[in-house]
Amino acid sequence: MNAKRWVAILTVLLSCSWSLAAEDWQGFFPARTVSEIFTNGVLEGVADFNGDGDLDILVRNSFGDLGLLLLGDGKGRFSAGPIFGTGVFLVEGGFAQGAFALGDFNRDGMSDYAVGGIIVPSNAKLERVRVALGRGDGTFLNREIWSGLGYLRGVAAGDFNQDNLEDLAVTMGSAEPGAPQGVLVFLGRGDGTFDPPRLSPTALVGHGAPIVADFTGDLVEDLVLNGSGSNVLAGDGQGGFAAFASVPLGGANVVMGADLDGDGAQDLVTGNSIGHSVSVLLGHGDGSFEPAQAYDVGNSVTALATADFDSDGATDIAVAFDPNFGFAIQLGYGDGSFMPDRRFEGGGRSVAVGDFDKKKGPDVATLQVGVDPDLAQVLIHRNRGLEDQQ
């Protein structure tokens, strides 16, 4: 039997196994409210912030200046920690995602974060970037690493000069004379401090956090920006970036990267308001992508996350809608294509994923707004697992 026939048979068998796993997946238990928080906040990140081995959730308010840790107990329950200041604001209380990145910037094994935004609401042109170093008890030591004129668009963490230390990329767009336009790169020293920023000028800066991955296949981290034009920026391995290619993203609300077809090349997922769809763009590994394959989800998409929810080895997509239209899961076949979405009630707008109860796979956190005019609720949707796990 020749190799091509073996590949064809293997593909059929794998497709059958993925289909059976999808049929056996039981979805989520009814949502549980774990905390009341800021109105119109955002679920920024999931990590173990207090060193107890259980996943926690960091939440920010819509103005971006206040944060809150929801501390997990490993059983799907959470307790709210004290409210803390982030030291930055978002322009006109805009949606908070995009100017925030998790990392371990001082290599102490504790979860840190970096955040960017304006210093005072009355001056939208004066920006700052801060790093909050986790102490391992749910509190942070804050450090400002940059301030200046400009319009900050997004923050992302990565190793941009291949020294195994975490760096920061901050996209800046400005019409102000002397203000940076492009990507500011802060090379990390491994102790929570950073070298002075170096600017890679670009015509496009996009909006939201740049997507960090090796898109060009040279084992160097690159960036994809959410915007039209030369939005694939190739890294030079020394902390610099240059326009490399264009990938049409169709005015997406949100973009994220993942390997959706298991070929080792990074792909893109976009959540769209126009057309109410999720689009998948499979990467070739050379900086180019297949044309977008759109999946209708019926509502405007505000947030995305990826995980293997049905334990079949294929990457799935969690989709959040705004406002309060619940969320959807698109189960993947493992070849970059997806089944029709399955809708679940409870929350929306923002989505975070983690195994919060350490049982049957990734769980989902969403945000329910409008229940009280001054409060929002964080809902946890626990994974029910496969039928034979019940």
Side-chain angles (χ1 to χ4, degrees), residues 114-155:
V115 65
I118 59 176
I119 297 177
V120 292
S122 59
N123 187 352
K125 300 175 184 178
L126 187 59
E127 305 272 5
R128 73 163 39 133
V129 179
R130 302 186 89 196
V131 169
L133 302 177
R135 295 188 174 102
D137 59 0
T139 65
F140 300 91
L141 173 65
N142 293 291
R143 292 177 175 174
E144 180 176 301
I145 63 171
W146 180 84
S147 64
L149 291 175
Y151 290 101
L152 190 149
R153 306 294 183 87
V155 176

Side-chain angles (χ1 to χ4, degrees), residues 203-204 215-216 223-225 227-234 242-250 268 281-282 284 286-292:
L204 173 73
F215 292 102
T216 59
L223 303 178
V224 168
L225 309 180
S228 300
S230 297
N231 52 358
V232 180
L233 306 182
F244 183 83
S246 298
V247 53
L249 299 178
L268 296 173
L281 299 90
L282 298 180
H284 297 145
D286 60 0
S288 65
F289 296 82
E290 290 288 320

Side-chain angles (χ1 to χ4, degrees), residues 4-89:
K4 289 185 177 180
R5 189 172 179 185
W6 274 117
V7 170
I9 292 174
L10 180 60
T11 301
V12 170
L13 291 174
L14 289 174
S15 298
C16 291
S17 68
W18 285 318
S19 298
L20 290 173
E23 291 176 0
D24 290 340
W25 184 53
Q26 302 299 296
F28 297 92
F29 290 104
R32 173 193 299 166
T33 300
V34 297
S35 182
E36 291 186 321
I37 59 161
F38 323 103
T39 300
N40 296 335
V42 61
L43 309 178
E44 285 284 25
V46 173
D48 177 13
F49 290 102
N50 62 347
D52 63 355
D54 302 319
L55 291 179
D56 313 310
I57 304 173
L58 193 150
V59 189
R60 271 210 297 172
N61 67 340
S62 61
F63 289 97
D65 63 318
L66 297 177
L68 172 70
L69 283 180
L70 300 180
L71 302 174
D73 66 355
K75 299 178 181 178
R77 298 187 295 260
F78 292 80
S79 59
I83 294 174
F84 56 88
T86 65
V88 299
F89 291 84

Side-chain angles (χ1 to χ4, degrees), residues 86-103:
T86 65
V88 299
F89 291 84
L90 298 166
V91 177
E92 298 177 355
F95 197 42
Q97 285 182 319
F100 181 96
L102 291 176

